[in-house]
Amino acid sequence: MELKDKIIKIYELDENERKKVLEFLKEEILNGKIIICGTDTLYGLCANALDENAVKKVYELKKRDPNKPISIFLKDKEDIEKYAYTNDISKKIIDKFLPGALTIILKKKDIIPDIVSKDYIGIRIPDSKIIRELSIIPLTATSANLSGEESPTSADEISEELKEKVDLIIDTGTCKYKTPSTIIKIVDDNVELIREGAIPFEKIKKI
């Protein structure tokens, strides 16, 4: 399959066209391509998180400090235990808030390359159909901006530099929340707030 345009307005396609494009995109990701796709919070710079060369390219495109970890997108809650260790507290939070605008940092399993993250891994399961459909393997979940610049909440806000350098851009419209996900870290039975975003930390603490 060939696409005429680098920017694909996915919701302007009919159902059959959309299915064909999504299957094509999955193949492209497995082949090491880098895409930008809208989510419920921000537009993400996405690649196969199990492919170290693809992850390295994400760092280079974003001009990101290689010592800073990158989170991952997963398709479903059931996938989390393939890639990270959970406990009773993390399971309660996962069941309540995912899919949703939460990044939960858990002790990672060895299947996640160290280039993505060393000991702990941030996990997102967005409330966003397209990005979850594409997450047949873990995808890098880092905002589609150059480090230090504003994170885009629509395809129009993506920098021209990134637009030129990525392989494809999936325009899903304006993000629902227009703000980053809340980030928490679970260490044993402690829940630590790393960044408050779309979900108030008070709601999480009640769980």
Side-chain angles (χ1 to χ4, degrees):
M1 179 179 182
E2 290 187 5
L3 297 173
K4 294 179 181 178
D5 301 313
K6 179 181 269 193
I7 300 177
I8 304 162
K9 293 181 180 290
I10 196 78
Y11 287 119
E12 291 184 4
L13 305 177
D14 66 34
E15 189 175 346
N16 285 333
E17 287 178 316
R18 196 182 307 162
K19 283 181 180 177
K20 287 178 183 176
V21 168
L22 286 170
E23 289 307 310
F24 171 74
L25 291 170
K26 290 173 192 177
E27 289 179 16
E28 292 290 275
I29 289 166
L30 289 173
N31 287 329
K33 297 295 177 67
I34 314 297
I35 69 166
I36 291 175
C37 185
T39 74
D40 50 355
T41 55
L42 303 169
Y43 271 66
L45 191 58
C46 304
N48 180 354
L50 304 182
D51 179 341
E52 294 191 26
N53 289 328
V55 175
K56 185 178 179 183
K57 190 172 179 184
V58 168
Y59 275 101
E60 290 170 351
L61 290 178
K62 193 176 166 73
K63 300 178 181 176
R64 184 176 176 85
D65 180 348
N67 294 311
K68 287 186 175 180
I70 286 179
S71 296
I72 58 172
F73 289 124
L74 296 178
K75 186 179 182 70
D76 295 304
K77 290 185 278 192
E78 291 74 21
D79 293 330
I80 291 176
E81 294 204 23
K82 297 176 189 175
Y83 305 103
Y85 297 96
T86 59
N87 60 14
D88 288 344
I89 288 178
S90 60
K91 285 176 183 176
K92 284 181 183 177
I93 293 170
I94 288 163
D95 287 342
K96 176 69 176 177
F97 294 104
L98 295 180
L102 177 71
T103 301
I104 184 167
I105 300 174
L106 301 168
K107 182 78 172 171
K108 81 172 179 99
K109 293 185 176 178
D110 290 342
I111 189 171
I112 299 294
D114 284 348
I115 190 174
V116 177
S117 190
K118 295 288 193 295
D119 299 313
Y120 285 78
I121 184 69
I123 293 173
R124 280 222 63 207
I125 301 173
D127 183 15
S128 181
K129 183 178 180 181
I130 298 300
I131 190 66
R132 289 176 63 201
E133 179 72 23
L134 293 174
S135 299
I136 53 172
I137 36 81
L139 298 182
T140 57
T142 184
S143 54
N145 62 312
L146 301 176
S147 288
E149 295 188 354
E150 286 292 313
S151 301
T153 60
S154 70
D156 291 338
E157 294 175 2
I158 301 165
S159 74
E160 291 302 318
E161 182 176 341
L162 270 186
K163 282 181 179 178
E164 287 176 12
K165 291 181 177 178
V166 298
D167 295 296
L168 290 161
I169 298 165
I170 317 307
D171 184 345
T172 58
T174 302
C175 300
K176 179 165 66 174
Y177 294 111
K178 299 184 186 179
T179 190
S181 62
T182 295
I183 303 175
I184 60 169
K185 184 174 184 179
I186 310 290
V187 181
D188 299 324
D189 290 335
N190 298 312
V191 182
E192 178 185 351
L193 176 66
I194 305 297
R195 178 185 73 194
E196 186 149 26
I199 298 174
F201 188 49
E202 284 300 318
K203 279 190 175 182
I204 296 168
K205 284 200 293 185
K206 285 178 182 177
I207 298 302

